Amino acid sequence: MALNPSDTALWPAPHASGAVDATVHVPGSKSVTNRALVLSALASEPGWLRRPLRSRDTLLMADALRAMGVGIEEGVGPNGTGETWRVLPAGLRGPATIDVGNAGTVMRFLPPVAALADGEIRFDGDPRSYERPLSGVIDALRVLGARIDDDGRGTLPLTVHGGGALDGGPVEVDASTSSQFVSALLLSGPRFNQGVEVRHIGATLPSLPHIRMTVDMLRSVGAQVDTPESGGEPNVWRVTPGALLGRDLTVEPDLSNAQPFLAAALVTGGKVLVPDWPARTTQPGDRLREIFTEMGGSCQLTEYGLEFTGSGAIHGIDVDLSDVGELTPGIAAVAALADSPSTLRGVSHLRLHETDRLAALTKEINELGGDVTETADGLHIRPRALHGGIFHTYEDHRMATAGAIIGLAVEGVQIENVATTAKTLPDFPDLWTGMLGSDRA
């Protein structure tokens, strides 16, 4: 049975008594699911979404689109092909109130959609959502012709006064704190009267693979997108106005959510198979193959999926994670168990994620006996013998899975609020104990 948030405050992280040997079916990608929902809602014809992720973030996205008039029917696909969502585009309308929870994709991707609606759309969310950067989207939408009330805060809560259309055109954005600012404008850009030209003017641009994912998915539904990679100007993306097609899309497994399971093979010297790992993908999590191999594992991509094997040794790593910041908590957990120090760089933007992930990782690993130091843009980790204790999650799903990784090697680790993993990885406790099987102590 899935763990509900009210079930328990402390979850004893299972300690592995031997090498894991398991096949783990990782649920669908949150990043792909939520982008596909937005694009399907803006399309000119119905579309299918097969094997979507059902998690807090994706259900918040679906409910938000429904509130604006989009039909989303849940059911089983043709020939029993697993869960399928049928998306029926409709005239976007208000009034509506949208709960974004603490989902960056919902709070950033949907204000541009709301600007195309006819009526007022109010956005609100969890207390932490009020602290997360949103001014890049708000300011850009105003330049493009939208009316937004945020009392000058540049954060939630806010109200978008949709006029049924948006002029669009050129706009400058500083996306140094989140690549989602760029993706948000690109996703709705085909529906703007003039399309959109987004020029990033910040010093850095984190999580660039997520922008590539957005571009790839836009093109898959018929949008014309010019990018720096396709011969355009550096840091400039252009989307031509036009109709979007309804598509039949099968969602890939969430490769970032595969991280704790691959880490389990690395930590225990075991083997984990993740079925349906794509040979080609824009998901940042695909870089785990390279990073965890450098840290002591080996992997093979077969017709069945990715087979990852630990060697019984864990090595430290010096790595720039600016493009794959979401992998930092899991890498930090593995690094704390390594045989040499690690330096994780390029992730200062993690201070503005679900929690301040750099401060949280430093505090929680150190309270288990570790030696982690924050740097200007990351972490320096010196492995030490760890002991049991409470590992706090700060309502951050990746903190919870990081604590579970450490618990494999360290007895007595208790995860506070492991149910927060439902944000993107439903039933994580059951998947975790199922992976360990008879090896669970």
Side-chain angles (χ1 to χ4, degrees):
M1 178 182 295
L3 188 72
N4 293 318
S6 59
D7 284 348
T8 181
L10 294 178
W11 181 64
H15 181 258
S17 59
V20 302
D21 187 355
T23 296
V24 181
H25 292 270
V26 177
S29 164
K30 177 204 74 173
S31 299
V32 172
T33 299
N34 274 356
R35 283 166 172 77
L37 281 171
V38 171
L39 292 172
S40 298
L42 295 174
S44 58
E45 56 192 355
W48 291 97
L49 197 54
R50 304 187 190 278
R51 289 196 285 185
L53 174 66
R54 285 184 59 89
S55 71
R56 187 185 186 214
D57 280 15
T58 61
L59 294 176
L60 285 168
M61 179 68 85
D63 286 345
L65 291 169
R66 288 187 182 110
M68 288 189 280
V70 177
I72 301 176
E73 301 173 350
E74 302 181 34
V76 176
N79 304 317
T81 52
E83 183 163 5
T84 298
W85 291 354
R86 178 74 160 162
V87 183
L88 305 168
L92 299 168
R93 63 181 184 273
T97 298
I98 288 173
D99 176 12
V100 309
N102 191 19
T105 51
V106 182
M107 72 179 71
R108 292 167 182 149
F109 291 178
L110 288 189
V113 177
L116 296 168
D118 187 6
E120 291 188 1
I121 311 294
R122 176 173 169 78
F123 291 82
D124 208 338
D126 296 353
R128 172 62 179 173
S129 72
Y130 291 14
E131 303 172 23
R132 300 186 68 182
L134 196 55
S135 59
V137 174
I138 295 170
D139 294 345
L141 284 175
R142 285 180 175 143
V143 170
L144 297 174
R147 282 184 56 215
I148 301 175
D149 290 338
D150 66 340
D151 293 331
R153 291 182 306 270
T155 63
L156 293 171
L158 59 84
T159 299
V160 178
H161 299 272
L166 196 66
D167 290 340
V171 65
E172 294 184 342
V173 177
D174 183 349
S176 300
T177 55
S178 177
S179 68
Q180 289 176 355
F181 296 168
V182 174
S183 287
L185 298 167
L186 298 182
L187 286 168
S188 292
R191 289 285 304 273
F192 300 164
N193 294 338
Q194 303 172 41
V196 71
E197 177 187 285
V198 182
R199 184 179 298 271
H200 166 59
I201 58 172
T204 60
L205 184 58
S207 302
L208 189 57
H210 276 120
I211 297 178
R212 295 191 184 110
M213 176 187 292
T214 298
V215 169
D216 190 63
M217 293 185 68
L218 275 162
R219 287 172 172 162
S220 75
V221 295
Q224 181 178 327
V225 189
D226 295 324
T227 70
E229 292 84 359
S230 60
E233 293 180 62
N235 293 324
V236 176
W237 294 262
R238 294 185 181 89
V239 180
T240 302
L244 299 178
L245 306 174
R247 288 297 198 203
D248 188 329
L249 172 69
T250 299
V251 178
E252 299 172 352
D254 193 312
L255 306 188
S256 294
N257 277 341
Q259 181 181 41
F261 306 103
L262 302 184
L266 191 55
V267 168
T268 68
K271 180 172 65 176
V272 167
L273 172 67
V274 179
D276 303 319
W277 193 288
R280 176 193 174 275
T281 181
T282 53
Q283 287 192 62
D286 192 47
R287 198 169 161 212
L288 284 166
R289 293 191 288 159
E290 167 200 335
I291 293 170
F292 277 172
T293 295
E294 187 173 342
M295 296 187 81
S298 61
C299 64
Q300 182 178 8
L301 193 58
T302 71
E303 60 181 308
Y304 304 107
L306 182 71
E307 185 176 281
F308 188 85
T309 306
S311 64
I314 307 171
H315 309 311
I317 191 171
D318 186 330
V319 61
D320 185 335
L321 299 175
S322 56
D323 278 354
V324 290
E326 65 199 54
L327 304 180
T328 302
I331 294 169
V334 173
L337 304 170
D339 58 15
S340 57
S342 295
T343 299
L344 313 184
R345 295 178 283 105
V347 288
S348 59
H349 60 286
L350 294 189
R351 295 187 170 98
L352 299 169
H353 274 221
E354 280 81 347
T355 187
D356 179 341
R357 285 179 171 164
L358 299 184
L361 287 165
T362 300
K363 179 177 182 294
E364 297 310 312
I365 295 174
N366 286 351
E367 289 194 353
L368 299 182
D371 184 0
V372 181
T373 305
E374 276 194 66
T375 65
D377 72 338
L379 300 172
H380 187 61
I381 302 168
R382 303 168 192 82
R384 292 175 56 177
L386 303 181
H387 55 71
I390 297 174
F391 195 95
H392 297 91
T393 65
Y394 309 88
E395 298 186 350
D396 185 336
H397 55 131
R398 300 205 192 279
M399 287 296 297
T401 54
I405 292 168
I406 293 173
L408 290 174
V410 180
E411 293 194 61
V413 174
Q414 298 182 83
I415 311 297
E416 171 265 334
N417 188 20
V418 73
T420 196
T421 52
K423 176 178 167 65
T424 62
L425 188 51
D427 301 329
F428 170 73
D430 287 349
L431 286 168
W432 197 245
T433 54
M435 170 194 68
L436 292 168
S438 59
D439 288 327
R440 184 165 63 92

